[in-house]
Amino acid sequence: MTGNVAGKRGAGVARWAAYGWVAGVLALLLALPLLTAGRLPDRVATHWTGTSGHPDGSMPLWAAAVFPALIWAVASAVVAVAHGRAGSATAWGGAVLLSMGVTLAGAQAAIVRANLDHDRWQDAESVTPWVVGTLAAGAAVGVAAALVTRRRVPPGARPSGTPPMELPPDQRVVWLASASNPWLHALAAVTGATALIALVLTVGGVVAAPLWPLIVPFALVSVLTFGCASVQVLVTDQGLRVSFGPLGWPARRWRPADMESAHAEHRTPAQVGGWGYRLSGLGTTVMLRAGECLVIRARGKDFAVSVDDAERGAALLNAVAVRGR
């Protein structure tokens, strides 16, 4: 009883700490340019060339305040939605919010400092060392948070395996299952649309400076997210095949001789570090929804994929592995 009360108190403290962090970063992003508006030009430099470090793009002062705040609000909302679907505090969400908050706040501070006391945005100072330091700090904070909050399973806590299904010697095995995550599909669509719009604006010459720093990362996130938003699992006499995306590519394969055991196990995004293709203390997990996962141990490593009827798939895989041996 005491442990439950302490756990609830700890979760409450963590929740309010997250609220405070989100609100604090949002206030800082808005306040930094607005409170120093009297010392800033009407348009502030917001983009610099990578080679010379000279400013080559600008925004109105209000946009420079609102744009990063909007990015932060959207990211916080995505983490909140994922938290609600997982039903528990997500370690990956905390790491993302800490890392992204430090990065955005540091970048906003660097932009304000570079434009401070200049009459024209073209005269703004270089932000290269500040941006490099900010990115390093954001990455370090995110990695540290992920390491601290990573949940590992103690030895012996994992299921030992599912009994193999009894099959006649001449019966062939075929089992197919699939899963998809609509939230990952939506994220892929939003980031892809953003990259496409930015590309059209750049090619059409609508913006003063090319938007490649926006196009490239958003396009990459869209492609990677779309590829991990759906999965197909096939069990046959030749072993296990797990394919990704609507085209079934790329795919991972395991032969019967490679597999030591298989079992069904309940997992959540909080345990494995989020959605999609995740690496954690539990091994590799393709997490598309919380719940039953098919887990195999092959070549001394664990691989899990969230699909329905995982118990049957594990029983068939164990039968196939017995045949193979």
Side-chain angles (χ1 to χ4, degrees), residues 204-275:
V206 178
V207 292
L211 299 176
W212 295 113
L214 180 67
I215 297 170
V216 174
F218 272 72
L220 183 61
V221 168
S222 178
V223 172
L224 293 178
T225 304
F226 189 65
C228 294
S230 61
V231 66
Q232 301 83 39
V233 180
L234 177 64
V235 176
T236 65
D237 293 305
Q238 283 71 46
L240 173 66
R241 180 178 185 271
V242 178
S243 54
F244 302 88
L247 302 179
W249 185 89
R252 294 193 61 178
R253 295 177 175 83
W254 292 265
R255 298 175 302 173
D258 298 329
M259 295 182 292
E260 302 170 22
S261 64
H263 66 270
E265 182 179 323
H266 186 279
R267 292 187 179 183
T268 67
Q271 291 175 303
V272 301
W275 306 95

Coordinates of all heavy atoms in Angstrom, one line a residue, residues 204-275:
G204 N 10.2 27.9 -56.3 CA 9.5 29.0 -56.9 C 10.0 30.4 -56.6 O 9.5 31.4 -57.1
G205 N 11.1 30.5 -55.7 CA 11.7 31.7 -55.4 C 10.8 32.7 -54.6 O 11.0 33.9 -54.6
V206 N 9.8 32.1 -53.8 CA 8.9 32.9 -53.0 C 9.7 33.4 -51.8 O 9.4 34.5 -51.3 CB 7.7 32.1 -52.6 CG1 6.8 32.9 -51.7 CG2 7.0 31.6 -53.8
V207 N 10.6 32.6 -51.2 CA 11.3 33.1 -50.0 C 12.7 33.6 -50.4 O 13.2 33.3 -51.5 CB 11.5 31.9 -49.1 CG1 10.2 31.4 -48.5 CG2 12.1 30.7 -49.8
A208 N 13.2 34.5 -49.5 CA 14.5 35.1 -49.8 C 15.6 34.2 -49.8 O 16.6 34.3 -50.6 CB 14.7 36.3 -48.9
A209 N 15.6 33.2 -48.9 CA 16.7 32.3 -48.7 C 16.1 30.8 -48.9 O 15.0 30.6 -48.5 CB 17.3 32.4 -47.3
P210 N 16.9 29.9 -49.5 CA 16.4 28.5 -49.6 C 16.1 27.9 -48.3 O 16.8 28.2 -47.3 CB 17.6 27.8 -50.3 CG 18.4 28.9 -50.9 CD 18.2 30.1 -50.0
L211 N 15.1 27.1 -48.2 CA 14.6 26.5 -47.0 C 15.2 25.0 -46.8 O 14.5 24.2 -46.2 CB 13.1 26.5 -46.9 CG 12.4 27.8 -47.0 CD1 10.9 27.7 -47.0 CD2 12.9 28.7 -45.8
W212 N 16.4 24.8 -47.3 CA 16.9 23.4 -47.2 C 17.1 22.9 -45.8 O 16.9 21.7 -45.5 CB 18.2 23.3 -48.0 CG 18.1 23.5 -49.4 CD1 18.6 24.6 -50.2 CD2 17.4 22.7 -50.4 NE1 18.2 24.5 -51.5 CE2 17.5 23.3 -51.7 CE3 16.7 21.5 -50.2 CZ2 16.9 22.8 -52.8 CZ3 16.1 21.0 -51.4 CH2 16.2 21.6 -52.6
P213 N 17.5 23.8 -44.8 CA 17.5 23.3 -43.4 C 16.2 22.8 -42.9 O 16.2 22.1 -41.9 CB 18.0 24.5 -42.7 CG 18.8 25.4 -43.7 CD 18.0 25.2 -45.0
L214 N 15.1 23.3 -43.5 CA 13.8 22.8 -43.1 C 13.4 21.6 -44.0 O 12.8 20.6 -43.5 CB 12.8 23.9 -43.3 CG 11.3 23.6 -42.9 CD1 11.2 23.3 -41.4 CD2 10.4 24.7 -43.3
I215 N 13.7 21.6 -45.3 CA 13.2 20.6 -46.2 C 13.9 19.2 -45.9 O 13.2 18.2 -45.8 CB 13.6 21.0 -47.6 CG1 12.8 22.2 -48.0 CG2 13.3 19.8 -48.6 CD1 13.2 22.8 -49.4
V216 N 15.2 19.2 -45.7 CA 15.9 18.0 -45.6 C 15.5 17.2 -44.3 O 15.2 16.0 -44.4 CB 17.5 18.2 -45.6 CG1 18.2 16.9 -45.3 CG2 17.9 18.8 -47.0
P217 N 15.6 17.8 -43.1 CA 15.2 17.0 -41.9 C 13.7 16.6 -41.9 O 13.4 15.4 -41.5 CB 15.5 17.9 -40.8 CG 15.5 19.3 -41.3 CD 16.0 19.1 -42.7
F218 N 12.8 17.4 -42.4 CA 11.4 17.1 -42.4 C 11.1 15.9 -43.4 O 10.3 15.0 -43.2 CB 10.5 18.3 -42.7 CG 10.1 19.1 -41.5 CD1 11.1 19.9 -40.8 CD2 8.9 19.0 -41.0 CE1 10.7 20.6 -39.7 CE2 8.5 19.8 -39.9 CZ 9.5 20.5 -39.2
A219 N 11.8 16.0 -44.6 CA 11.6 14.9 -45.6 C 12.2 13.6 -45.0 O 11.6 12.5 -45.2 CB 12.3 15.3 -46.9
L220 N 13.3 13.7 -44.3 CA 13.9 12.5 -43.8 C 13.0 11.9 -42.7 O 12.8 10.6 -42.7 CB 15.3 12.8 -43.2 CG 16.1 11.6 -42.6 CD1 16.4 10.6 -43.7 CD2 17.4 12.1 -42.0
V221 N 12.5 12.7 -41.8 CA 11.6 12.2 -40.8 C 10.4 11.6 -41.4 O 9.9 10.6 -40.9 CB 11.2 13.4 -39.8 CG1 10.1 13.0 -38.9 CG2 12.4 13.8 -39.0
S222 N 9.8 12.2 -42.4 CA 8.6 11.7 -43.1 C 8.9 10.3 -43.7 O 8.1 9.4 -43.5 CB 8.2 12.6 -44.2 OG 7.0 12.1 -44.9
V223 N 10.0 10.1 -44.4 CA 10.3 8.8 -45.0 C 10.5 7.7 -44.0 O 10.0 6.6 -44.0 CB 11.5 9.0 -45.9 CG1 12.0 7.6 -46.4 CG2 11.2 9.8 -47.1
L224 N 11.3 8.1 -42.9 CA 11.6 7.1 -41.9 C 10.4 6.7 -41.1 O 10.2 5.5 -40.8 CB 12.7 7.6 -41.0 CG 14.1 7.8 -41.6 CD1 15.1 8.4 -40.6 CD2 14.6 6.5 -42.2
T225 N 9.6 7.7 -40.8 CA 8.4 7.4 -40.0 C 7.4 6.6 -40.8 O 6.8 5.7 -40.3 CB 7.7 8.8 -39.6 OG1 8.7 9.5 -38.8 CG2 6.5 8.5 -38.7
F226 N 7.2 6.9 -42.1 CA 6.3 6.2 -42.9 C 6.7 4.7 -43.1 O 5.9 3.8 -43.1 CB 6.2 6.9 -44.3 CG 5.1 6.3 -45.2 CD1 3.8 6.4 -44.8 CD2 5.4 5.6 -46.4 CE1 2.8 5.9 -45.6 CE2 4.5 5.1 -47.2 CZ 3.1 5.2 -46.8
G227 N 8.0 4.5 -43.1 CA 8.6 3.2 -43.3 C 8.4 2.3 -42.0 O 8.3 1.1 -42.1
C228 N 8.3 3.0 -40.8 CA 8.1 2.3 -39.6 C 6.7 2.3 -39.1 O 6.4 1.8 -38.0 CB 9.0 2.8 -38.5 SG 10.8 2.6 -38.9
A229 N 5.7 2.8 -39.8 CA 4.4 3.0 -39.4 C 3.5 1.7 -39.5 O 2.4 1.6 -39.0 CB 3.7 4.2 -40.1
S230 N 4.0 0.8 -40.3 CA 3.3 -0.5 -40.5 C 4.3 -1.6 -40.7 O 5.4 -1.4 -41.0 CB 2.4 -0.4 -41.8 OG 3.2 -0.2 -42.9
V231 N 3.8 -2.8 -40.3 CA 4.7 -4.0 -40.3 C 3.9 -5.2 -40.7 O 2.7 -5.3 -40.4 CB 5.3 -4.1 -39.0 CG1 4.3 -4.5 -37.9 CG2 6.4 -5.2 -39.0
Q232 N 4.5 -6.2 -41.4 CA 3.9 -7.4 -41.7 C 4.8 -8.6 -41.2 O 6.0 -8.5 -41.4 CB 3.7 -7.6 -43.2 CG 2.8 -6.5 -43.9 CD 3.5 -5.2 -44.2 OE1 4.7 -5.3 -44.6 NE2 2.9 -4.1 -43.9
V233 N 4.2 -9.5 -40.6 CA 4.9 -10.7 -40.0 C 4.5 -11.9 -40.6 O 3.3 -12.3 -40.7 CB 4.7 -10.7 -38.5 CG1 5.5 -11.9 -37.9 CG2 5.1 -9.4 -37.8
L234 N 5.4 -12.7 -41.2 CA 5.1 -14.0 -41.9 C 6.0 -15.1 -41.3 O 7.2 -15.0 -41.2 CB 5.5 -13.8 -43.4 CG 5.3 -15.1 -44.2 CD1 3.8 -15.5 -44.3 CD2 5.8 -14.9 -45.6
V235 N 5.3 -16.1 -40.8 CA 5.9 -17.3 -40.3 C 5.7 -18.5 -41.3 O 4.5 -18.8 -41.6 CB 5.4 -17.7 -38.9 CG1 6.0 -19.0 -38.4 CG2 5.7 -16.6 -37.9
T236 N 6.7 -19.1 -41.8 CA 6.6 -20.3 -42.7 C 7.6 -21.3 -42.2 O 8.3 -21.1 -41.2 CB 6.9 -19.9 -44.1 OG1 8.3 -19.4 -44.2 CG2 6.0 -18.7 -44.6
D237 N 7.7 -22.4 -43.0 CA 8.7 -23.4 -42.7 C 10.1 -22.9 -42.9 O 11.1 -23.5 -42.4 CB 8.5 -24.6 -43.7 CG 7.2 -25.3 -43.4 OD1 7.0 -25.7 -42.2 OD2 6.4 -25.5 -44.3
Q238 N 10.3 -21.8 -43.6 CA 11.6 -21.2 -43.8 C 12.0 -20.3 -42.7 O 13.1 -19.7 -42.7 CB 11.7 -20.4 -45.1 CG 11.8 -21.3 -46.4 CD 10.5 -22.1 -46.6 OE1 9.4 -21.5 -46.6 NE2 10.6 -23.4 -46.9
G239 N 11.1 -20.1 -41.7 CA 11.4 -19.2 -40.6 C 10.5 -18.0 -40.5 O 9.3 -18.0 -40.8
L240 N 11.1 -16.9 -40.0 CA 10.3 -15.7 -39.8 C 10.8 -14.5 -40.7 O 12.0 -14.4 -40.9 CB 10.5 -15.2 -38.3 CG 9.9 -13.9 -37.9 CD1 8.4 -13.9 -37.9 CD2 10.4 -13.5 -36.5
R241 N 9.8 -13.8 -41.2 CA 10.1 -12.6 -42.0 C 9.3 -11.5 -41.5 O 8.1 -11.6 -41.4 CB 9.8 -12.9 -43.5 CG 10.1 -11.7 -44.4 CD 9.7 -12.1 -45.9 NE 10.1 -11.0 -46.8 CZ 9.3 -10.0 -47.2 NH1 8.1 -10.0 -46.7 NH2 9.7 -9.1 -48.0
V242 N 9.9 -10.4 -41.2 CA 9.3 -9.1 -40.7 C 9.6 -8.0 -41.7 O 10.8 -7.7 -41.9 CB 9.8 -8.7 -39.3 CG1 9.1 -7.4 -38.9 CG2 9.5 -9.8 -38.3
S243 N 8.6 -7.5 -42.4 CA 8.8 -6.5 -43.4 C 8.1 -5.2 -43.0 O 7.1 -5.2 -42.3 CB 8.2 -7.0 -44.8 OG 6.9 -7.4 -44.7
F244 N 8.6 -4.1 -43.5 CA 8.2 -2.8 -43.1 C 7.6 -2.0 -44.2 O 8.0 -2.1 -45.4 CB 9.4 -2.0 -42.5 CG 10.0 -2.7 -41.3 CD1 11.0 -3.6 -41.5 CD2 9.6 -2.5 -40.0 CE1 11.6 -4.3 -40.4 CE2 10.1 -3.1 -38.9 CZ 11.2 -4.0 -39.1
G245 N 6.6 -1.1 -43.9 CA 6.1 -0.2 -44.9 C 5.1 -0.8 -45.8 O 4.9 -2.1 -45.8
P246 N 4.4 -0.1 -46.6 CA 3.4 -0.6 -47.6 C 4.0 -1.5 -48.7 O 3.3 -2.3 -49.2 CB 2.8 0.7 -48.1 CG 3.9 1.7 -48.0 CD 4.6 1.4 -46.7
L247 N 5.3 -1.3 -49.0 CA 5.9 -2.1 -50.0 C 6.6 -3.4 -49.5 O 7.1 -4.1 -50.2 CB 6.9 -1.3 -50.8 CG 6.4 0.0 -51.4 CD1 7.5 0.8 -52.1 CD2 5.3 -0.3 -52.5
G248 N 6.6 -3.5 -48.1 CA 7.2 -4.7 -47.6 C 8.7 -4.7 -47.6 O 9.4 -5.7 -47.7
W249 N 9.2 -3.5 -47.7 CA 10.7 -3.3 -47.7 C 11.1 -2.1 -46.9 O 10.4 -1.1 -47.0 CB 11.1 -3.1 -49.2 CG 12.6 -3.1 -49.3 CD1 13.5 -4.1 -49.5 CD2 13.5 -1.9 -49.3 NE1 14.8 -3.7 -49.6 CE2 14.8 -2.3 -49.4 CE3 13.2 -0.6 -49.1 CZ2 15.9 -1.5 -49.4 CZ3 14.3 0.3 -49.0 CH2 15.6 -0.1 -49.2
P250 N 12.2 -2.2 -46.1 CA 13.1 -3.4 -46.0 C 12.5 -4.5 -45.2 O 11.4 -4.3 -44.6 CB 14.3 -2.8 -45.3 CG 13.7 -1.7 -44.5 CD 12.6 -1.1 -45.3
A251 N 13.2 -5.6 -45.1 CA 12.7 -6.8 -44.3 C 13.8 -7.5 -43.6 O 15.0 -7.4 -44.0 CB 12.0 -7.8 -45.3
R252 N 13.4 -8.1 -42.4 CA 14.4 -8.8 -41.7 C 13.9 -10.3 -41.7 O 12.7 -10.6 -41.6 CB 14.5 -8.3 -40.2 CG 15.1 -7.0 -40.1 CD 15.5 -6.6 -38.7 NE 16.5 -7.6 -38.2 CZ 17.0 -7.5 -36.9 NH1 16.6 -6.6 -36.1 NH2 17.9 -8.4 -36.5
R253 N 14.9 -11.2 -41.7 CA 14.6 -12.7 -41.8 C 15.4 -13.5 -40.8 O 16.5 -13.1 -40.6 CB 14.9 -13.2 -43.3 CG 14.0 -12.6 -44.3 CD 14.4 -13.1 -45.7 NE 13.5 -12.6 -46.8 CZ 13.6 -11.5 -47.4 NH1 14.6 -10.6 -47.0 NH2 12.7 -11.1 -48.3
W254 N 14.8 -14.5 -40.3 CA 15.5 -15.4 -39.4 C 15.2 -16.9 -39.9 O 14.0 -17.2 -40.0 CB 15.0 -15.3 -38.0 CG 15.4 -14.0 -37.3 CD1 16.5 -13.7 -36.5 CD2 14.7 -12.7 -37.4 NE1 16.5 -12.4 -36.1 CE2 15.4 -11.8 -36.6 CE3 13.5 -12.3 -38.1 CZ2 15.0 -10.5 -36.5 CZ3 13.1 -11.0 -37.9 CH2 13.8 -10.1 -37.1
R255 N 16.2 -17.7 -40.0 CA 16.0 -19.1 -40.4 C 15.7 -19.9 -39.1 O 16.0 -19.4 -38.0 CB 17.3 -19.6 -41.0 CG 17.7 -18.9 -42.3 CD 19.0 -19.5 -42.8 NE 20.0 -19.3 -41.8 CZ 21.2 -19.8 -41.9 NH1 21.6 -20.5 -42.9 NH2 22.1 -19.5 -40.9
P256 N 15.0 -21.0 -39.3 CA 14.7 -21.8 -38.1 C 15.9 -22.2 -37.2 O 15.9 -22.2 -36.0 CB 14.1 -23.1 -38.7 CG 13.5 -22.7 -40.0 CD 14.5 -21.6 -40.5
A257 N 17.1 -22.4 -37.9 CA 18.3 -22.7 -37.1 C 18.8 -21.6 -36.3 O 19.6 -21.8 -35.3 CB 19.4 -23.2 -38.1
D258 N 18.4 -20.3 -36.7 CA 18.9 -19.2 -36.0 C 18.1 -18.9 -34.7 O 18.6 -18.2 -33.8 CB 18.8 -17.9 -36.9 CG 19.7 -18.0 -38.1 OD1 20.7 -18.7 -38.0 OD2 19.3 -17.5 -39.1
M259 N 16.9 -19.4 -34.6 CA 16.0 -19.0 -33.5 C 16.1 -20.0 -32.3 O 16.0 -21.2 -32.5 CB 14.5 -19.0 -34.0 CG 14.3 -18.0 -35.1 SD 12.5 -17.9 -35.6 CE 12.4 -19.5 -36.5
E260 N 16.3 -19.4 -31.1 CA 16.4 -20.2 -29.9 C 15.1 -20.5 -29.3 O 14.8 -21.5 -28.8 CB 17.4 -19.5 -28.9 CG 18.8 -19.3 -29.5 CD 19.6 -18.3 -28.6 OE1 19.2 -18.3 -27.4 OE2 20.5 -17.7 -29.1
S261 N 14.2 -19.4 -29.3 CA 12.9 -19.5 -28.6 C 12.0 -18.4 -29.1 O 12.5 -17.4 -29.6 CB 13.0 -19.6 -27.1 OG 13.5 -18.3 -26.6
A262 N 10.7 -18.5 -28.8 CA 9.7 -17.5 -29.1 C 8.7 -17.5 -28.1 O 8.3 -18.5 -27.5 CB 9.1 -17.7 -30.5
H263 N 8.1 -16.3 -27.8 CA 7.1 -16.2 -26.8 C 6.3 -14.9 -27.0 O 6.7 -14.0 -27.7 CB 7.6 -16.3 -25.4 CG 8.4 -15.1 -25.0 ND1 9.8 -15.0 -25.2 CD2 8.1 -13.9 -24.4 CE1 10.3 -13.9 -24.8 NE2 9.3 -13.2 -24.3
A264 N 5.1 -14.8 -26.4 CA 4.3 -13.6 -26.4 C 4.5 -12.9 -25.2 O 4.6 -13.5 -24.1 CB 2.8 -14.0 -26.6
E265 N 4.6 -11.5 -25.3 CA 4.9 -10.7 -24.1 C 4.2 -9.4 -24.2 O 4.1 -8.8 -25.3 CB 6.4 -10.5 -24.0 CG 6.8 -9.7 -22.8 CD 8.4 -9.6 -22.8 OE1 9.1 -10.5 -23.1 OE2 8.9 -8.5 -22.4
H266 N 3.6 -8.9 -23.1 CA 3.0 -7.6 -23.1 C 4.0 -6.5 -22.9 O 4.8 -6.5 -22.0 CB 1.9 -7.5 -22.0 CG 1.1 -6.2 -22.0 ND1 1.6 -5.0 -21.5 CD2 -0.1 -6.0 -22.5 CE1 0.7 -4.1 -21.7 NE2 -0.4 -4.6 -22.3
R267 N 4.0 -5.5 -23.9 CA 5.0 -4.4 -23.8 C 4.2 -3.1 -24.1 O 3.2 -3.1 -24.8 CB 6.1 -4.6 -24.8 CG 7.1 -5.7 -24.4 CD 8.3 -5.7 -25.3 NE 9.2 -6.8 -25.0 CZ 10.3 -7.1 -25.6 NH1 10.8 -6.2 -26.5 NH2 11.1 -8.1 -25.2
T268 N 4.8 -2.0 -23.6 CA 4.3 -0.7 -23.8 C 5.4 0.2 -24.4 O 6.6 -0.1 -24.2 CB 3.7 0.0 -22.5 OG1 4.8 0.2 -21.6 CG2 2.7 -1.0 -21.8
P269 N 5.0 1.3 -25.0 CA 6.0 2.3 -25.5 C 6.9 2.8 -24.4 O 8.1 3.1 -24.6 CB 5.2 3.4 -26.1 CG 3.9 2.7 -26.5 CD 3.6 1.7 -25.5
A270 N 6.4 2.9 -23.2 CA 7.2 3.4 -22.1 C 8.3 2.5 -21.7 O 9.4 2.9 -21.3 CB 6.3 3.6 -20.8
Q271 N 8.1 1.2 -21.9 CA 9.1 0.2 -21.6 C 10.3 0.2 -22.7 O 11.4 -0.1 -22.3 CB 8.5 -1.2 -21.5 CG 7.6 -1.4 -20.3 CD 7.0 -2.8 -20.4 OE1 6.3 -3.1 -21.3 NE2 7.1 -3.5 -19.3
V272 N 9.9 0.5 -23.9 CA 10.9 0.3 -25.0 C 11.4 1.6 -25.5 O 12.3 1.7 -26.4 CB 10.3 -0.5 -26.1 CG1 9.9 -1.9 -25.6 CG2 9.2 0.2 -26.8
G273 N 10.9 2.8 -25.0 CA 11.5 4.1 -25.4 C 10.7 4.8 -26.5 O 11.2 5.7 -27.1
G274 N 9.4 4.4 -26.7 CA 8.6 5.1 -27.7 C 8.0 4.3 -28.8 O 7.9 3.0 -28.6
W275 N 7.6 4.9 -29.9 CA 7.0 4.2 -31.0 C 7.9 4.0 -32.1 O 8.9 4.7 -32.3 CB 5.8 5.1 -31.5 CG 4.8 5.5 -30.4 CD1 4.8 6.7 -29.7 CD2 3.7 4.7 -30.0 NE1 3.8 6.7 -28.9 CE2 3.1 5.5 -29.0 CE3 3.2 3.5 -30.3 CZ2 1.9 5.1 -28.3 CZ3 2.1 3.1 -29.6 CH2 1.5 3.8 -28.6

